[in-house]
Amino acid sequence: MSTSVAAKKGSSVEQLALLGGPKAVQSPPGDLFTWPIITKEEEEAVLEVLRRGGMSGIDVTMQFEKEFAAWQGTKYALGFNNGTAALHGALFGCGVGTGDEVICPSITYWASALPVFSLGATVVFADIDPVTLCIDPNDIEHRITDRTKAIMVVHYLGHPADMDRILAIARRYGLKVIEDVSHAQGGLYKGRKLGTFGDVAAMSLMSGKSLVAGEAGMLVTNDTEIYERAIAFGHYERFDDHITTEYLRQFQGLPLGGYKYRMHQLSAAVGRVQLKYYDQRCEEIRQAMNYFWDLLEGVPGIRAHRVAKDSGSNMAGWYAPHGHYVPEELGGLSITRFAEAVRAEGCQCVPGCNLPLHTHPVFNTADVYNEGKPTRIARSTRDVRQPAGSLPISEGIGRRVFSVPWFKRFRPALIEEYAAAFRKVATHYRSLLKDDPGDPPQIGTWHFFTHR
Ligand SMILES: *Cc1c(COP(=O)(O)O)cnc(C)c1O
């Protein structure tokens, strides 16, 4: 535990900034949050491609894929123009088609679930575990039917899902497992890299994520058929004589799925440089984030969202870090009021996370493809829709998590100021109870990333 001046100063003597006191965070952040870190090396790599007019080629992308597969530890890596497309390719790769069902956590970004619709299949949502915030292995099995094709696993906010138990279920029922690694590129689960557990993994490399190529995505797998199906789906330029899957060869040279999904080579060029430094930068992020949470150990009402220290698992690049909120320990203080008070201290803090997808009209009433029925049930023999109240953890999680700063650098003195902001608010919660307006009915967001 730190005994620095900044940490002590915030602990008890001061009035909350929201009630007129001084802010806990006084120092300018400098490069504490700067991301991605872009240097001359990326600029030169991009200019090389740009000047020779190589934007639509695949030579740089294939080099990136080769390096990526080596880093990932998979036989294949296939570049996409974004993570959504990579997930689409992974679903097609697994053979997801008309009438199939894919089990997916309700708390995730749209792209883990929505591409399923365009393959004629539908989504069945599972609840999340309130501690890991990933799909709850206890809530999968009873949702499996003879139409279930795959389980979509999301390592949410950098936290690895419980792969041992998920894989055991998948094996028992002969289901494919797709890992969405968009929040946890390069992370470990029990010493092994995320993205190597399922039949296939896909991930975003867009510029808000921890591993950045700009706008890009990557599919990784050891399965030749999945890889070649993903190529057939939207990569006509490499759908050639190298394809070994016999039934695909007749369609050689065309994007069988009707999609064109190759990575922009300016992004591939950026990605190659970013990947070189990624593990080292993630290590610094984890050092900074763990330091922050260590400072807050034992503070009432808040808990870290992180893995146990000697589990062999880690939080990857700790994308969009959050903490757990325990209002019972703070006299029932609303998370809305709590976060407002933290922000007044000069520290970003937003209540909630992604809103539960199963409650959105897109998954209940929207007829996306003009079939005269909600798309969710248009091609299935049963109504798989899940009413409000059916996934209680997902529906209530917005009141129990809040965002914390995503430190990219290990700068202890600065980090102590941000930790002090949380400690100060949690310690002085009583003074916030009086004018607590309570929470709005829904807390969270349909979109994380702020475009700029
Ligand atoms: C960002 C994200 C995606 C989509 O990736 P894009 O590159 O934005 O298309 C998919 N799944 C999750 C969980 C994400 O956060």
Side-chain angles (χ1 to χ4, degrees):
M1 185 60 84
S2 162
T3 51
S4 82
V5 177
K8 267 190 191 155
K9 218 168 64 180
S11 59
S12 67
V13 289
E14 287 170 9
Q15 171 128 50
L16 292 176
L18 187 65
L19 305 176
K23 292 181 177 193
V25 178
Q26 293 284 344
S27 308
D31 63 357
L32 193 59
F33 301 115
T34 304
W35 201 260
I37 296 169
I38 299 293
T39 68
K40 265 248 162 327
E41 206 175 338
E42 280 87 354
E43 293 176 8
E44 276 159 20
V46 165
L47 284 173
E48 190 280 320
V49 178
L50 192 61
R51 286 182 176 143
R52 68 175 162 89
M55 289 83 81
S56 288
I58 57 168
D59 58 320
V60 184
T61 299
M62 287 178 88
Q63 194 57 42
F64 184 30
E65 288 166 353
K66 205 170 135 197
E67 291 153 3
F68 202 97
W71 170 79
Q72 179 71 52
T74 49
K75 202 161 161 195
Y76 305 109
L78 182 61
F80 281 77
N81 55 353
N82 57 54
T84 306
L87 283 159
H88 203 195
L91 286 158
F92 181 84
C94 287
V96 171
T98 302
D100 289 338
E101 297 176 5
V102 176
I103 297 175
C104 177
S106 185
I107 299 292
T108 181
Y109 178 68
W110 297 98
S112 314
L114 217 40
V116 168
F117 278 180
S118 64
L119 295 168
T122 197
V123 181
V124 174
F125 290 106
D127 216 340
I128 56 162
D129 178 285
V131 176
T132 67
L133 305 180
C134 301
I135 193 167
D136 180 355
N138 291 320
D139 198 50
I140 294 174
E141 209 160 348
H142 67 105
R143 301 187 185 281
I144 297 172
T145 70
D146 56 355
R147 301 316 314 246
T148 308
K149 189 82 175 204
I151 304 171
M152 177 66 73
V153 177
V154 184
H155 305 295
Y156 192 65
L157 306 179
H159 199 299
D162 188 347
M163 292 315 295
D164 283 345
R165 294 185 55 205
I166 295 165
L167 290 173
I169 296 166
R171 266 187 225 112
R172 209 171 313 138
Y173 293 90
L175 305 178
K176 300 281 191 202
V177 172
I178 302 167
E179 293 177 78
D180 181 345
V181 197
S182 299
H183 293 190
Q185 300 90 340
L188 297 178
Y189 171 75
K190 298 186 180 177
R192 187 170 142 195
K193 225 169 215 172
L194 299 175
T196 64
F197 291 91
D199 295 274
V200 59
M203 66 202 87
S204 173
L205 305 176
M206 61 90 78
S207 55
K209 300 292 160 72
S210 61
L211 180 52
V212 173
E215 276 296 311
M218 195 67 86
L219 176 152
V220 294
T221 184
N222 289 315
D223 187 308
T224 304
E225 187 177 349
I226 291 177
Y227 172 67
E228 294 188 344
R229 283 181 62 87
I231 286 176
F233 193 55
H235 297 266
Y236 68 88
E237 69 283 351
R238 60 172 93 192
F239 190 15
D240 55 22
D241 287 339
H242 293 96
I243 299 293
T244 57
T245 306
E246 204 47 51
Y247 67 85
L248 292 173
R249 287 170 68 94
Q250 59 183 308
F251 305 111
Q252 230 169 260
L254 48 108
L256 183 61
Y259 297 96
K260 184 190 161 193
Y261 273 169
R262 70 170 167 262
M263 190 183 291
H264 196 301
Q265 290 219 110
L266 297 188
S267 284
V270 171
R272 287 188 66 200
V273 180
Q274 286 286 311
L275 185 62
K276 279 208 292 189
Y277 303 101
Y278 182 64
D279 286 335
Q280 175 195 324
R281 286 172 182 164
C282 283
E283 211 157 299
E284 183 166 357
I285 290 174
R286 291 195 298 269
Q287 189 184 11
M289 292 304 306
N290 276 316
Y291 182 68
F292 168 79
W293 281 120
D294 287 347
L295 290 170
L296 293 171
E297 207 52 58
V299 173
I302 57 180
R303 307 268 193 287
H305 175 236
R306 61 174 167 177
V307 294
K309 263 181 189 137
D310 357 296
S311 55
S313 304
N314 67 29
M315 295 291 287
W318 223 304
Y319 172 72
H322 279 63
H324 293 286
Y325 186 63
V326 191
E328 296 81 2
E329 294 177 359
L330 301 178
L333 180 70
S334 74
I335 196 165
T336 304
R337 182 80 164 151
F338 172 83
E340 185 189 12
V342 173
R343 289 196 300 273
E345 298 295 335
C347 175
Q348 78 85 20
C349 180
V350 181
C353 53
N354 287 93
L355 286 164
L357 292 178
H358 74 281
T359 63
H360 196 279
V362 162
F363 288 103
N364 289 288
T365 53
D367 178 3
V368 182
Y369 294 104
N370 297 329
E371 293 172 283
K373 279 187 198 175
T375 302
R376 181 94 179 273
I377 56 167
R379 288 74 152 262
S380 53
T381 48
R382 62 190 190 107
D383 192 341
V384 297
R385 289 176 296 182
Q386 294 157 290
S390 59
L391 299 175
I393 306 298
S394 298
E395 289 168 41
I397 202 67
R399 290 163 202 281
R400 304 194 72 89
V401 292
F402 57 89
S403 70
V404 299
W406 186 11
F407 304 110
K408 310 303 192 310
R409 302 284 191 164
F410 182 56
R411 309 250 187 269
L414 278 177
I415 293 168
E416 284 158 20
E417 293 188 29
Y418 291 89
F422 285 92
R423 188 184 314 103
K424 190 176 164 191
V425 172
T427 310
H428 297 274
Y429 74 91
R430 280 193 187 83
S431 57
L432 293 165
L433 291 170
K434 191 163 71 74
D435 295 316
D436 185 353
D439 289 322
Q442 233 183 4
I443 305 176
T445 172
W446 297 113
H447 291 286
F448 254 14
F449 191 70
T450 320
H451 298 268
R452 59 191 169 108

